[in-house]
């Protein structure tokens, strides 16, 4: 008959508990990131900003892409696009300061011809 080592059993339970804890943490973080992304889109739309979409590009580091629709039909930004881009940058920066864990965001502006007329990436973390 074989006896089990109590230390081995304890180690096994600790490893299982750590694995379950890490899986739970990762699941909560992914759900929170999805919620932050949709919250940013909702806040921008409430301000009257013509948002095409807001999507998560990367989970680690947390990076999103915000696309705006311009009223311009050529490759130049319209006057109101500058205002919308500024409000969008402000909203994303505030999201970082509130504690969403947002590391960077990419801002894209499309014209009415579905062409990209402006694109930039902003890194928010201090490093």
């Amino acid at each position: 008959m074989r006896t089990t080592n109590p230390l081995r059993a304890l180690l096994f339970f600790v490893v299982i508990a750590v694995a379950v804890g890490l899986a739970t943490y990762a699941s909560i973080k992914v759900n929170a990131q999805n919620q932050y992304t949709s919250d940013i889109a909702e806040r921008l739309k409430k301000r009257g900003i013509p948002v095409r979409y807001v999507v998560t590009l990367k989970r680690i580091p947390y990076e999103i892409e915000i696309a705006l629709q311009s009223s311009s039909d050529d490759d130049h930004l319209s006057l109101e696009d500058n205002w919308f881009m500024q409000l969008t940058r402000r909203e994303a920066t505030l999201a970082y300061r509130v504690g969403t864990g947002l590391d960077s965001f990419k801002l894209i502006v499309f014209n009415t011809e579905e062409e990209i007329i402006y694109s930039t990436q902003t890194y928010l973390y201090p490093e």
Side-chain angles (χ1 to χ4, degrees):
M1 206 158 135
R2 209 170 149 174
T3 62
T4 60
N5 187 354
L7 187 57
R8 184 180 293 168
L10 179 64
L11 183 62
F12 175 75
F13 287 121
V14 167
V15 168
I16 294 295
V18 168
V20 168
L22 288 174
T24 302
Y25 173 75
S27 173
I28 290 171
K29 187 165 183 152
V30 165
N31 288 335
Q33 287 176 343
N34 290 340
Q35 184 64 42
Y36 292 143
T37 302
S38 61
D39 285 349
I40 288 173
E42 285 179 32
R43 286 195 302 268
L44 291 173
K45 287 178 183 176
K46 282 182 182 177
R47 295 191 193 295
I49 298 172
V51 178
R52 286 184 70 169
Y53 60 83
V54 179
V55 295
T56 302
L57 295 177
K58 292 183 194 174
R59 299 280 180 199
I60 300 174
Y62 183 35
E63 180 180 324
I64 63 172
E65 180 175 288
I66 305 169
L68 303 180
Q69 181 64 53
S70 174
S71 60
S72 174
D73 57 357
D74 56 12
D75 62 346
H76 299 293
L77 294 169
S78 65
L79 184 60
E80 61 192 13
D81 291 336
N82 289 320
W83 177 246
F84 293 147
M85 290 186 312
Q86 190 63 26
L87 288 175
T88 302
R89 286 186 192 102
R90 179 181 174 271
E91 193 64 45
T93 303
L94 285 175
Y96 167 73
R97 290 182 181 168
V98 169
T100 61
L102 183 63
D103 293 313
S104 68
F105 66 93
K106 187 175 184 179
L107 179 61
I108 299 175
V109 180
F110 290 92
N111 65 7
T112 56
E113 305 292 324
E114 305 294 322
E115 298 170 341
I116 297 175
I117 58 174
Y118 180 83
S119 178
T120 185
Q121 176 127 14
T122 304
Y123 296 93
L124 299 171
Y125 51 89
E127 292 86 30

